[in-house]
Amino acid sequence: MVLPGSRALTRRHVFGLTTLAAGGGLLSACASADRAAATSSSAAPAPTAPPSEAAGAVSGEDAWKQLLAGNTRFIGDQPTHPHQAAQWRSSLVQAQHPFACVLGCGDSRVTPELVFDTGLGDVFTVRSAGEVLDDAVLGSIEYSVEHVRTNLVVVLGHAGCGAVSAAIDLVRHKGEVTGNIATLVRAVEPAVLATPPDPDPGKFLTACVAEQARRVKTELAERSEIIRDAVAQRGLKVVAATYDLADGKVSELT
Ligand SMILES: [Zn+2]
């Protein structure tokens, strides 16, 4: 995608083509080769939109379906590992057209590109422990919505989240958090306080994780005019979801 001058400059300046590489300007020959490579090991369909499509061409609803289809392959131990070949990588040098933005926790067990079976240029990923929003995280998501034109933002919490667990301990005056970790954990505290008590610690943690993801979803619209406008004007879809560490399943939270 070629952006008007000021936007293009901002985009290059802030993110840099070499640091957050990925992108469009995709040659159909490369796309065909990549699709062939991606499907050679499995009959599963390629998970992403046709690379020749312009940025923003995939609706939020279709993007969510694509992510869930990729998650189904991941759950079934039949990932296609798409869009990782050298030829595909080369085709992404000039621009990116990811079809979704995912805000996930930093937990090493919940890598969005893997759990959704996607590849380079498919997902604009922002990660923050507990999916906590600060201005930089929010700005990164706004960038994906405003400039990269993703029509889907997923807030992905997960089972056994350490940030949420630490917030539970904080509320109960157990344990100790220091440095900037304290700031992070306190940001999750409202979700813990809003969650009904449960005598089962595991169930309570799961409920707090879900509450945190839902609250962050709500907070995105409350804090961001860019996101509010995208929802109202072009149907940006914002989803809260959780990931199960055991079976690998991503479930939408309603
Ligand atoms: Zn976590």
Side-chain angles (χ1 to χ4, degrees), residues 105 107 130 158 161-162:
C105 181
D107 194 300
H158 69 94
C161 182

Side-chain angles (χ1 to χ4, degrees), residues 105-107 109-110 128-131 157-164:
C105 181
D107 194 300
R109 301 165 293 181
V110 196
S128 164
E131 310 89 60
H158 69 94
C161 182
V164 176

Side-chain angles (χ1 to χ4, degrees), residues 5-19 143:
S6 61
R7 284 189 175 183
L9 283 173
T10 301
R11 182 180 179 183
R12 290 191 192 97
H13 179 70
V14 174
F15 286 86
L17 291 174
T18 56
T19 52
Y143 176 84

Side-chain angles (χ1 to χ4, degrees), residues 10-247:
T10 301
R11 182 180 179 183
R12 290 191 192 97
H13 179 70
V14 174
F15 286 86
L17 291 174
T18 56
T19 52
L20 277 184
L26 307 170
L27 302 173
S28 59
C30 294
S32 298
D34 187 84
R35 276 197 293 272
T39 55
S40 62
S41 61
S42 169
T48 61
S52 58
E53 289 190 19
V58 181
S59 72
E61 200 61 44
D62 285 346
W64 184 227
K65 288 177 182 174
Q66 289 187 45
L67 288 183
L68 291 178
N71 182 239
T72 297
R73 294 192 299 276
F74 176 74
I75 293 167
D77 203 20
Q78 293 185 318
T80 58
H81 303 299
H83 301 164
Q84 296 172 33
Q87 193 174 24
W88 178 268
R89 185 178 68 232
S90 298
S91 75
L92 296 173
V93 170
Q94 296 302 323
Q96 62 173 325
H97 300 310
F99 64 89
C101 173
V102 176
L103 169 61
C105 181
D107 194 300
S108 63
R109 301 165 293 181
V110 196
T111 307
E113 289 84 352
L114 295 180
V115 305
F116 290 120
D117 191 28
T118 57
L120 297 174
D122 292 333
V123 178
F124 192 101
T125 305
V126 183
R127 300 181 69 172
S128 164
E131 310 89 60
V132 167
L133 290 182
D134 64 10
D135 289 348
V137 169
L138 191 54
S140 299
I141 297 168
E142 287 182 344
Y143 176 84
S144 82
V145 170
E146 175 87 346
H147 291 279
V148 185
R149 308 297 288 179
T150 53
N151 286 320
L152 171 68
V153 176
V154 179
V155 180
L156 184 61
H158 69 94
C161 182
V164 176
S165 182
I168 293 172
D169 286 346
L170 191 70
V171 168
R172 293 175 176 171
H173 307 291
K174 290 165 52 181
E176 183 181 348
V177 286
T178 56
N180 291 297
I181 301 172
T183 304
L184 179 81
V185 173
R186 286 194 190 99
V188 184
E189 205 175 17
V192 175
L193 294 171
T195 302
D198 191 313
D200 184 320
K203 288 182 179 176
F204 184 63
L205 174 57
T206 298
C208 288
V209 164
E211 177 65 19
Q212 171 66 1
R214 290 192 192 95
R215 291 174 77 90
V216 171
K217 173 188 171 182
T218 301
E219 196 178 345
L220 283 172
E222 288 176 348
R223 291 179 58 173
S224 171
E225 184 177 359
I226 286 174
I227 291 174
R228 284 197 303 275
D229 287 350
V231 169
Q233 294 170 9
R234 66 171 216 257
L236 172 74
K237 183 179 177 70
V238 183
V239 171
T242 59
Y243 172 78
D244 189 300
L245 293 176
D247 63 16

